[in-house]
Amino acid sequence: MQTPDKQDLIARDALHVWHPYTQHGTESDPVAIVRASGASLFDADGHEMLDLISSWWTCIHGHAHPAINKALCDQANQLEHVMFAGFTHQGAVDLAQQVTKVLGAGLSRVFYSDNGSTANEVALKMAYQYCRNKGDDKRTIFLSFKGDYHGDTMGAMAVSRGSGFFKLFEGLMCEARTIPFAATFSGDRQREEKENKAITAFAQILDQCGDQTAALILEPLMQGAAGMQFCTPDFLRRVVEMAQARGIIVILDEVATGFGRTGSFFAFQQSGIRPDIVCLSKGLTAGYMALSMTVVREDFFQEFAGDTFNKALAHGHSFTGNPLACAVALKSLALFEEENTFARIAMIEQRHKQLLPTLQEHPLIEKPRVLGTVLAFDLREGAAGYKSNESIFLRDWYLQQGLNIRPYGKTVYLMPPYCISKEQIDTAYDGMLNGLSQLRK
Ligand SMILES: Cc1ncc(COP(=O)(O)O)c(C=O)c1O
């Protein structure tokens, strides 16, 4: 394929394209990427950069994987799309069957949509309607952890209000309240105290509104957009069990944590809990296609069955269950066995843990933490906030060094594709720490 003229591309982009989470008045030009392979992206000047955040946490096996490419081409030659109301196809059925097998916990029924936000939006609608289908009209409230981010659609924004991103849209949101999150890190001496405090506060919230709460939606073990904040499996378990004891539906948003990211296939599996609904996207298609799942138990699904349409879920999208996306997701799932992906994940985690003592001693760093393939720490000084000066400075400096690392406010993190090599990880660590010394200049 011919490489596009970079200047021309950037000029036309500036004229016609509106980028996500971007202030076009101040941001520098976007980087024109022309191809990708494994852990690397290549720009229009031929520069290689390591994609150390897996392109917004999606491409778990790396870019342009030959086996996924082939699955996609084969599927395109067979069936590219068919509407999903009144029709079905093999990819959607196989994928639902295989993902629910890995999920376990009685989660057996899949509703497809297109991205993480819609997976959560669907889950919120399902939970709300489930209460009504059962004749319980008083449950109108949603709860979520303070700092949680569940996406950008209306319902998802309401349960992400504790993220601080959506203050402008408060007037449009449904009723949702936040509960405390007990963030922890390596060597945290106050962990137990923080967890007990958060649990006490949650118990009070449940006393106030437990009977009017339809659902609790949580990011399990790791809050991504809050700056890779981790909690313990035990804290998660306590929160979930307290909610379920009050008849509250528990939705786990595994959009970022699913498919091996936290060391297990799904984060909730480290807690031994049984969520009512699990939402998946991002790693589901290894970053190839827009696809998501909202997965529920059979007894939950059966509450929507009946003689009239009133009880059915009135939700669907043009591209629901797209065959190309399903084919890619099936191949991505198969790769876990074919490439022994969990050995790769263990290697990344082990290396991250080996770096911890260096991070703990570093004068500019606090709260270093590792969860599966995710390494994160906070800068001791500097502003919080999504686009703080430090985060923009570091992001641009890292890019110049050939590293796609995008700090969030005070948090610097790595979330590499699982195909990354030991040498590439070492390059990432060196560059990441070098960037911090630039901050002092
Ligand atoms: C935990 C979580 N939930 C939901 C979303 C929204 O997903 P999407 O961007 O695919 O709509 C994200 C995106 O980063 C996420 O991290």
Side-chain angles (χ1 to χ4, degrees):
M1 216 170 84
Q2 216 190 346
T3 306
D5 176 324
K6 186 177 117 183
Q7 304 305 339
D8 172 64
L9 189 70
I10 298 297
R12 286 187 294 117
D13 179 287
L15 280 180
H16 300 295
V17 182
W18 191 338
H19 287 267
Y21 279 95
T22 299
Q23 174 44 269
H24 281 265
T26 57
E27 283 284 349
S28 38
D29 288 342
V31 183
I33 296 297
V34 291
R35 78 182 174 89
S37 168
S40 299
L41 300 163
F42 296 86
D43 73 11
D45 294 322
H47 295 139
E48 177 176 358
M49 69 200 80
L50 285 177
D51 191 356
L52 296 164
I53 59 164
S54 304
S55 280
W56 263 350
W57 325 338
T58 60
C59 55
I60 54 175
H61 298 296
H63 293 276
H65 193 291
I68 304 183
N69 291 353
K70 180 170 183 314
L72 179 58
C73 293
D74 290 350
Q75 184 61 47
N77 285 325
Q78 178 81 27
L79 170 69
E80 88 303 346
H81 188 55
V82 61
M83 60 179 287
F84 208 56
F87 292 86
T88 192
H89 57 88
Q90 188 176 351
V93 176
D94 287 352
L95 185 62
Q97 191 175 12
Q98 291 186 26
V99 170
T100 53
K101 192 167 163 218
V102 196
L103 271 168
L107 296 153
S108 59
R109 189 65 78 157
V110 172
F111 188 95
Y112 287 105
S113 60
D114 304 338
N115 54 67
S117 306
T118 56
N120 291 327
E121 196 80 19
V122 168
L124 297 172
K125 283 174 72 173
M126 280 178 176
Y128 188 88
Q129 186 171 345
Y130 174 85
C131 297
R132 267 121 210 102
N133 282 1
K134 286 187 83 163
D136 186 351
D137 285 350
K138 65 183 185 311
R139 290 188 186 266
T140 52
I141 301 172
F142 293 106
L143 300 176
S144 59
F145 280 139
K146 185 162 194 301
D148 263 14
Y149 171 78
H150 298 291
D152 294 347
T153 51
M154 289 296 181
M157 281 200 299
V159 289
S160 309
R161 50 165 38 105
S163 70
F165 282 131
F166 305 119
K167 290 203 169 64
L168 181 71
F169 301 103
E170 280 286 338
L172 299 176
M173 293 179 188
C174 60
E175 191 172 0
R177 299 184 194 173
T178 57
I179 67 168
F181 180 76
T184 190
F185 51 90
S186 180
D188 182 4
R189 295 214 187 93
Q190 266 107 48
R191 180 186 57 76
E192 209 178 320
E193 192 187 322
K194 281 188 287 188
E195 288 182 356
N196 288 338
K197 213 171 142 198
I199 291 291
T200 307
F202 181 40
Q204 283 165 2
I205 293 168
L206 285 178
D207 285 342
Q208 285 160 15
C209 67
D211 295 346
Q212 299 121 59
T213 299
L216 167 68
I217 180 167
L218 304 173
E219 284 186 82
L221 299 192
M222 180 183 86
Q223 291 185 313
M228 306 307 147
Q229 301 295 330
F230 305 156
C231 73
T232 63
D234 191 53
F235 174 68
L236 175 66
R237 183 190 53 75
R238 289 165 79 187
V239 170
V240 167
E241 287 178 358
M242 283 166 73
Q244 287 178 326
R246 296 280 189 135
I248 297 170
I249 308 277
V250 171
I251 305 165
L252 294 185
D253 172 355
E254 293 252 12
V255 167
T257 51
F259 299 97
R261 203 31 102 186
T262 67
S264 47
F265 234 116
F266 300 100
F268 82 87
Q269 292 166 335
Q270 297 178 38
S271 284
I273 47 178
R274 287 175 71 84
D276 301 291
I277 307 181
V278 170
C279 302
L280 307 172
S281 190
K282 291 195 187 272
L284 172 63
T285 61
Y288 268 67
M289 313 281 295
L291 183 75
S292 60
M293 288 182 165
T294 306
V295 193
V296 304
R297 291 189 321 265
E298 187 60 20
D299 58 320
F300 184 94
F301 170 75
Q302 286 303 337
E303 285 300 330
F304 293 72
D307 298 335
T308 63
F309 190 76
N310 291 353
K311 274 190 134 187
L313 182 71
H315 195 104
H317 300 279
S318 310
F319 295 107
T320 297
N322 173 259
L324 298 172
C326 290
V328 158
L330 274 167
K331 191 65 222 177
S332 170
L333 207 54
L335 285 180
F336 274 87
E337 246 183 72
E338 289 167 20
E339 296 195 331
N340 198 3
T341 299
F342 275 100
R344 296 175 177 209
I345 289 171
M347 180 279 283
I348 298 169
E349 178 165 13
Q350 191 199 16
R351 269 191 127 67
H352 283 347
K353 285 189 171 156
Q354 281 165 358
L355 188 73
L356 272 178
T358 308
L359 301 181
Q360 263 150 352
E361 282 161 21
H362 198 291
L364 298 181
I365 289 175
E366 61 180 7
K367 300 181 182 166
R369 48 199 185 269
V370 172
L371 180 64
T373 62
V374 187
L375 169 86
F377 58 79
D378 294 348
L379 300 172
R380 277 187 190 281
E381 287 167 25
Y386 179 51
K387 297 261 170 149
S388 68
N389 290 342
E390 288 78 10
S391 65
I392 291 179
F393 171 85
L394 281 175
R395 181 198 66 188
D396 292 347
W397 191 86
Y398 287 138
L399 270 184
Q400 282 163 16
Q401 310 305 308
L403 305 171
N404 185 26
I405 303 178
R406 290 169 76 93
Y408 265 127
K410 289 174 77 164
T411 305
V412 180
Y413 74 95
L414 301 181
M415 220 200 252
Y418 308 151
C419 66
I420 194 166
S421 69
K422 288 179 182 162
E423 295 70 34
Q424 287 172 321
I425 295 179
D426 289 341
T427 305
Y429 291 161
D430 287 348
M432 178 179 73
L433 293 174
N434 276 340
L436 301 192
S437 21
Q438 302 302 312
L439 272 178
R440 281 185 155 164
K441 290 183 181 162

